[in-house]
Amino acid sequence: MTMTQHAEPAVSTPPASGPEESDGRTLQRSLALRMLARPEVGVFLGAVAVYVFFLVTAPPVRDGSSMANILYQSSTIGIMALPVALLMIGGEFDLSSGVAVISSALTASMLSYQLTMNVWVGVLLSLVLSLAVGFFNGWMVVKTGLPSFLVTLATFLVLQGVNLAVTKLVTGNVATDDISDMDGFDQAKKVFASSFDVAGVQVKITIVWWLVFAALATWVLLRTTYGNWIFAVGGNQDSARAVGVPVGLTKISLFMTVGFGAWFIGMHQLFSFNTVQSGEGVGQELIYISAAVIGGCLLTGGAGSAIGPVFGAFMFGMVQQGIVYAGWNPDWFKAFLGVMLLGAVLINLWVQRAATRR
């Protein structure tokens, strides 16, 4: 028996070719494919390429204050792109996230001003409303089985109409009143919209919050049971449910996380400009989703990372400000973003096929 077991492999596998096929080159290819399969690798290389491109074509980008401005623009996109990315990994997406930002800002502003409250009361009540909108979206998706596209499209239209109608009804205008002289404003501004000096360059606090949220989201995805649940429900929710994953709870909580992100950015806008235009926010949801897709998150769910959308948001901020610093017509911005989005989708498709190839 022992002799037969040793003889069969010797006959079926030529001794000369065996070691060559299982040796260094195969291992190197395998490592390269594993690296390419990481969703954030492609967007990191793309972000470096875009940065170098504008570094060469737009000399003002080399200035520290210009880079701080680019990072600020990236952070206002990136903070929202993170929860949107988590939701996409979980197999859903939210079309109401853009107008939800404005809804949260309007709520905080009008409650504080019209009822002459401390602004922190309006801020906290606005958080409750934002989480409630997220809960409603998640609950409707889970209970009805309707696609999140339809549910959040309906929410988008409702919030868009309510934002404009209620603001006109309460203030008699399309914008809220200035709240900069109200109690608590200075403290809230320090949290959501302050700046600090780094080597003579003014850096916005949102950049710090962006990196903190990205680190937290990465830890949740890679080191917690809840992170495993997110990937599981995005990959196959029936299989996830069969092994005990609370699918409904996971999806609802992800929609509420988007609500939290919308609240945070809404507070930043409110305390940066002291007032809010009720018609803003339309179209921003596509920017957030695009940043997540460019960052390697699949629309079909089950794949992605939190780091990828950070680089995706940086690419958006880099292009948005780089075009201005280069002196080009800013009307080309959306066209540039469309090319970036299509390129990212094609690269993700190629990476998936390359990673599954032997």
Side-chain angles (χ1 to χ4, degrees):
M1 291 288 291
T2 306
M3 293 178 62
T4 304
Q5 291 174 346
H6 284 291
E8 289 178 355
V11 173
S12 59
T13 306
S17 61
E20 292 178 5
E21 291 183 358
S22 62
D23 211 345
R25 286 177 297 175
T26 302
L27 293 175
Q28 289 175 4
R29 286 198 303 269
S30 177
L31 178 61
L33 289 178
R34 286 199 300 270
M35 289 296 294
L36 281 175
R38 294 299 306 167
E40 61 272 13
V41 171
V43 67
F44 170 73
L45 297 176
V48 171
V50 170
Y51 172 71
V52 171
F53 174 77
F54 281 108
L55 202 63
V56 173
T57 59
V61 169
R62 303 165 196 169
D63 185 66
S65 60
S66 298
M67 183 51 63
N69 193 31
I70 290 169
L71 289 174
Y72 166 63
Q73 295 295 333
S74 301
S75 69
T76 58
I77 297 171
I79 290 175
M80 269 303 294
L82 285 168
V84 168
L86 296 182
L87 181 62
M88 289 177 62
I89 295 172
E92 309 291 346
F93 60 96
D94 191 343
L95 291 179
S96 67
S97 56
V99 292
V101 169
I102 304 304
S103 297
S104 66
L106 290 171
T107 301
S109 179
M110 287 189 288
L111 284 176
S112 300
Y113 187 88
Q114 303 300 328
L115 302 179
T116 62
M117 296 178 175
N118 186 294
V119 295
W120 280 106
V121 177
V123 167
L124 294 178
L125 291 177
S126 175
L127 174 60
V128 172
L129 174 66
S130 296
L131 294 177
V133 171
F135 176 84
F136 173 79
N137 285 336
W139 183 82
M140 285 294 292
V141 169
V142 170
K143 291 301 180 181
T144 65
L146 289 171
S148 54
F149 171 86
L150 294 177
V151 172
T152 58
L153 177 60
T155 306
F156 162 80
L157 295 172
V158 170
L159 291 179
Q160 184 183 8
V162 168
N163 286 351
L164 186 59
V166 172
T167 304
K168 282 186 175 181
L169 180 66
V170 173
T171 68
N173 203 340
V174 295
T176 60
D177 298 288
D178 191 324
I179 64 169
S180 59
D181 59 347
M182 297 190 65
D183 292 339
F185 180 88
D186 292 335
Q187 292 83 358
K189 186 179 179 68
K190 289 180 181 178
V191 174
F192 297 106
S194 62
S195 300
F196 57 94
D197 187 85
V198 177
V201 175
Q202 287 295 306
V203 178
K204 292 286 189 179
I205 193 67
T206 52
I207 299 174
V208 177
W209 284 118
W210 179 33
L211 298 178
V212 169
F213 290 150
L216 179 60
T218 300
W219 176 77
V220 168
L221 279 179
L222 301 181
R223 292 290 183 266
T224 67
T225 302
Y226 181 70
N228 292 333
W229 291 353
I230 295 173
F231 282 108
V233 299
N236 189 317
Q237 66 177 13
D238 293 330
S239 298
R241 187 178 287 109
V243 297
V245 174
V247 174
L249 173 63
T250 303
K251 286 184 179 287
I252 291 174
S253 63
L254 287 172
F255 276 103
M256 293 179 71
T257 303
V258 175
F260 173 84
W263 166 77
F264 193 93
I265 293 299
M267 296 306 98
H268 167 69
Q269 292 192 12
L270 173 61
F271 292 106
S272 292
F273 305 109
N274 309 335
T275 183
V276 185
Q277 295 287 332
S278 59
E280 294 182 348
V282 177
Q284 282 297 113
E285 64 282 345
L286 300 180
I287 300 294
Y288 305 143
I289 293 172
S290 297
V293 172
I294 290 174
C297 297
L298 300 181
L299 290 173
T300 52
S305 70
I307 296 299
V310 170
F311 294 125
F314 173 75
M315 289 175 70
F316 271 54
M318 187 76 240
V319 172
Q320 188 174 18
Q321 294 301 308
I323 287 177
V324 175
Y325 291 138
W328 301 340
N329 187 341
D331 294 339
W332 287 99
F333 171 63
K334 292 293 178 66
F336 205 123
L337 294 185
V339 172
M340 280 175 30
L341 178 59
L342 181 59
V345 171
L346 292 176
I347 290 173
N348 288 341
L349 180 62
W350 177 81
V351 166
Q352 286 180 15
R353 290 177 177 176
T356 55
R357 239 185 253 129
R358 284 183 169 271

